[in-house]
Amino acid sequence: QVQLQQSGAELAKPGSSVKISCKASGYTFTSYYISWIKQTTGQGLEYIGYINTGSGGTNYNEKFKGKATLTVDKSSSTAFMQLSSLTPDDSAVYYCARFEVVLAYWGQGTLVTVSS
Amino acid sequence: DTVLTQSPALAVSPGERVTISCRASESVSTGMHWYQQKPGQQPKLLIYGASNLESGVPARFSGSGSGTDFTLTIDPVEADDTATYFCQQSWNDPFTFGSGTKLEIK
C-alpha cells in the first residue's frame, strides 16, 4: 500500500534551517510528483509547491520562494524540504503528499517549532 | 490567488443531511476537491473533480458544483463524521485551500 513516512518533529532556533524528509513506499516513486503543504491554526492549509520526482523540476507558490527548497533522492525514494531563515511564523505542521492533481496520499506530518 | 470561502462551523444530529459549501473567488471549473481531517491526523481525500467519490469513501459523501460554487453533502451523517472539512482547488496556480468547516455531531 502507498505510504509516505515523514521525519520526526523539529525544534529550531530563529535564523536556522531544517530539512524534513518524506520516504515513499508502495509505488514507483518517480511516477508521481510530491507536494508539500503547511498547516497552522491561524493560516490553515497552504500549498508550498511540488517537485517532479523524476527530473527534480520544481514549482513553488510565490509565497514560499526563498523559504522552501524541494529536492529528491531517487535512490532512496525520498523527498526533502528544507526551510531556511526560520522565524516563529514558520512554526507549523508540514505535510508531504503524493501529487496527482488531487492529494490522495499524505504523510503523517512533521511538526516544526521555531523558538529561541 | 484564488480564495476559497467556507462557513466556519456546523452542528447536526446523527441521521440528518448536511451540506458544506465552498465558494471560489474565481472560476475553478471542476478542479475542486474535498478533504476530511480529524484532530491529530492528516487530511483524507473524499471527493475529487467536484463530484467523484474517492475509492473506499462511503457513498454517504457526495459532491457537486462547478465554476465558483461547490457543495459537499453527507447523508446521512454519522457520529464518526465529526471532523473539519476542507475544500481545495487545483485549477489556478497556486493551488489553494478553504479555511475549513468544523462539523459537530450533536
Side-chain angles (χ1 to χ4, degrees), chain B residues 10-88:
Chain B
L10 288 171
V12 298
S13 298
E16 291 184 347
R17 179 176 184 267
V18 64
T19 58
I20 297 171
S21 64
C22 177
R23 173 163 289 177
S25 61
E26 58 187 318
S27 177
V28 300
S29 186
T30 55
M32 183 65 78
H33 322 294
W34 291 93
Y35 301 85
Q36 176 194 65
Q37 186 177 33
K38 297 182 178 181
Q41 296 184 16
Q42 65 269 55
K44 172 188 174 184
L45 177 66
L46 299 174
I47 300 289
Y48 64 93
S51 61
N52 300 289
L53 189 68
E54 171 69 355
S55 176
V57 174
R60 302 183 292 104
F61 293 88
S62 63
S64 64
S66 66
T68 60
D69 289 292
F70 298 86
T71 299
L72 172 70
T73 300
I74 312 172
D75 185 15
V77 164
E78 297 182 357
D80 188 53
D81 298 333
T82 297
T84 299
Y85 294 84
F86 294 95
C87 54
Q88 179 241 329

Side-chain angles (χ1 to χ4, degrees), chain A residues 39 47 95 99 101-103 107, chain B residues 33 35 37 42 48 90 95:
Chain A
Q39 186 170 33
Y47 202 87
Y95 292 100
F99 173 67
V101 180
V102 294
L103 305 170
Chain B
H33 322 294
Y35 301 85
Q37 186 177 33
Q42 65 269 55
Y48 64 93
S90 60
F95 300 163

Side-chain angles (χ1 to χ4, degrees), chain A residues 55-112:
Chain A
S55 68
T58 53
N59 178 280
Y60 294 96
N61 182 340
E62 283 290 332
K63 178 178 178 179
F64 292 94
K65 285 184 178 178
K67 171 61 65 178
T69 302
L70 308 183
T71 57
V72 293
D73 176 5
K74 288 188 281 187
S75 68
S76 63
S77 298
T78 303
F80 300 92
M81 178 174 66
Q82 179 162 315
L83 300 169
S84 60
S85 303
L86 291 169
T87 73
D89 287 345
D90 297 316
S91 295
V93 176
Y94 292 87
Y95 292 100
C96 64
R98 196 175 85 170
F99 173 67
E100 42 203 302
V101 180
V102 294
L103 305 170
Y105 297 95
W106 295 61
Q108 81 277 20
T110 297
L111 176 63
V112 174

